[in-house]
Amino acid sequence: MKNKIVSVCLRTLVSLALISILLYIMRGKYSQILAALKGTNSLLFITAVLIFIAAIAIASYRLKLIVGASGDTGITFLDSFSLTFIGYFFNNFLPTSIGGDVVKAYYLSKKSSNKMQSFTSVFIDRAIGLLTMIFIASIALLFVPARIIDAKVRVLIYMITLASLAFVIFMANKNIARKFSIFLFLVRPLEERLKKAYNAIHIYKHHTRLMLESVVISVISQLSFFVSYGVLALSIGSRIAPSELLLRIPLISAMSILPSINGLGLREGSTVLLFGPLIGKENACAVSILWLVILFMISIIGGLIYLLSPQFKIKFKKISEV
């Protein structure tokens, strides 16, 4: 319990520190940022929100397919769609150790006799989404002239892509995984759980069709998120080339998974860092604020769904023991 409190405090401090640094960097540009926000085109903003929700719906269908392949656990598309919204609520409004993915897994575990598989399904869903986004960026990089993309962006994409490929190979090949098993002594109390988790994830290697379908669905979902971001930039009068969206948003997403309160501070800072040279720091900051507004809107919807849907209620004492 004490470790979880320390973890929450550290993540909160990281987010607060990064936000403070961003505010300091943007000093003197507050009036321009406010002007950009005031000039937001309402119709385009609403369009960006609707595209974002459509992307969520597509990703929710991916979760439904993956959960359905886990055996005796099955959920409807409406359940999956609702759980995704609830996940945003827990991630953004409850800065605790109980994140959105844990809530999804806990709900699924109540419907299954194989609780480990329930948690694995959620992990696989999240991993496919993130890996697909990274590989989209690496593929886009092949078709963009070197002079157009900043060398630092190119190196970052290559590094994250290589790390992702290494992860996929590790999870798909037990012989390679066994060579690293000697390091399990470093986490002796968790050794058995980690082995069970690895075996549960490895099973999906044999679901070739499911994996291919999930990747295709994920590509469509991720591209929809990219379009939403581009429309959001248009709403304040800034244009971002599609190639830049494909290359830079995955980097922002990758940075956002680092320890913080659901990427708060990391997401906004990396947006200014990566899109600032293209549309100006003040406009990039305005876009990051509008993106945060959309996340909060989705989170509020998720909170209402959680409040009004008894089947999704969780017992915090039990979930903390998972």
Side-chain angles (χ1 to χ4, degrees):
M1 184 67 177
K2 186 179 293 185
N3 290 336
K4 292 180 179 179
I5 294 174
V6 171
S7 174
V8 171
C9 290
L10 286 176
R11 288 188 286 116
T12 302
L13 285 174
V14 168
S15 288
L16 290 176
L18 290 172
I19 291 173
S20 298
I21 293 171
L22 180 60
L23 289 173
Y24 177 76
I25 292 173
M26 299 306 296
R27 69 192 186 284
K29 295 183 180 293
Y30 295 157
S31 58
Q32 295 99 309
I33 295 171
L34 185 59
L37 292 173
K38 285 184 176 179
T40 302
N41 183 301
S42 300
L43 182 59
L44 287 175
F45 178 77
I46 293 172
T47 301
V49 173
L50 293 176
I51 296 173
F52 191 98
I53 292 174
I56 289 177
I58 297 168
S60 299
Y61 183 67
R62 181 188 66 214
L63 176 61
K64 176 186 178 300
L65 288 181
I66 293 173
V67 171
S70 65
D72 59 349
T73 304
I75 58 173
T76 65
F77 170 74
L78 184 59
D79 282 342
S80 178
F81 194 44
S82 300
L83 279 171
T84 304
F85 275 96
I86 291 172
Y88 277 98
F89 169 68
F90 273 84
N91 283 335
N92 293 306
F93 283 163
L94 294 180
T96 68
S97 58
I98 302 174
D101 287 340
V102 177
V103 173
K104 293 177 191 176
Y106 178 78
Y107 170 74
L108 294 174
S109 69
K110 294 194 301 180
K111 299 168 66 67
S112 171
S113 59
N114 189 338
K115 299 188 184 303
M116 176 60 74
Q117 199 65 46
S118 299
F119 281 81
T120 301
S121 298
V122 175
F123 173 81
I124 288 292
D125 176 69
R126 173 59 70 93
I128 289 177
L130 183 60
L131 291 172
T132 301
M133 181 178 285
I134 292 169
F135 290 136
I136 285 175
S138 61
I139 293 171
L141 198 60
L142 299 175
F143 299 95
V144 178
R147 66 179 184 279
I148 295 178
I149 300 300
D150 186 274
K152 292 179 181 178
V153 174
R154 187 177 291 272
V155 170
L156 273 174
I157 292 173
Y158 281 140
M159 289 176 62
I160 295 174
T161 301
L162 286 174
S164 301
L165 281 172
F167 172 77
V168 171
I169 293 171
F170 175 82
M171 298 309 301
N173 193 311
K174 279 192 173 183
N175 291 328
I176 292 177
R178 286 193 188 98
K179 294 179 181 179
F180 288 89
S181 63
I182 59 174
F183 296 106
L184 286 175
F185 75 91
L186 296 172
V187 286
R188 187 69 68 186
L190 299 175
E191 183 175 348
E192 288 306 313
R193 278 195 177 189
L194 289 175
K195 286 181 178 179
K196 287 181 181 179
Y198 179 87
N199 289 328
I201 294 170
H202 185 77
I203 290 174
Y204 283 92
K205 172 187 176 181
H206 305 292
H207 294 277
T208 306
R209 181 173 178 179
L210 170 67
M211 291 294 99
L212 289 175
E213 289 178 349
S214 298
V215 168
V216 171
I217 292 170
S218 187
V219 168
I220 298 171
S221 174
Q222 299 296 358
L223 290 178
S224 298
F225 279 120
F226 294 166
V227 172
S228 176
Y229 205 97
V231 173
L232 204 58
L234 281 176
S235 72
I236 63 167
S238 297
R239 292 182 179 275
I240 303 176
S243 59
E244 298 290 359
L245 292 171
L246 291 174
L247 293 170
R248 296 173 189 260
I249 292 180
L251 293 178
I252 294 173
S253 297
M255 293 179 189
S256 298
I257 65 175
L258 296 174
S260 61
I261 302 176
N262 196 35
L264 185 63
L266 283 165
R267 180 177 51 247
E268 291 71 31
S270 55
T271 297
V272 172
L273 177 67
L274 292 171
F275 284 114
L278 302 179
I279 61 176
K281 289 183 178 179
E282 60 278 3
N283 286 335
C285 187
V287 170
S288 72
I289 292 172
L290 290 175
W291 190 257
L292 186 61
V293 169
I294 291 180
L295 290 176
F296 280 166
M297 290 171 63
I298 298 300
S299 300
I300 290 172
I301 296 174
L304 291 173
I305 293 172
Y306 180 72
L307 182 66
L308 300 174
S309 305
Q311 72 268 30
F312 297 123
K313 292 294 184 295
I314 65 173
K315 294 180 180 180
F316 289 91
K317 286 185 179 180
K318 285 188 176 182
I319 198 172
S320 63
E321 297 171 357
V322 174

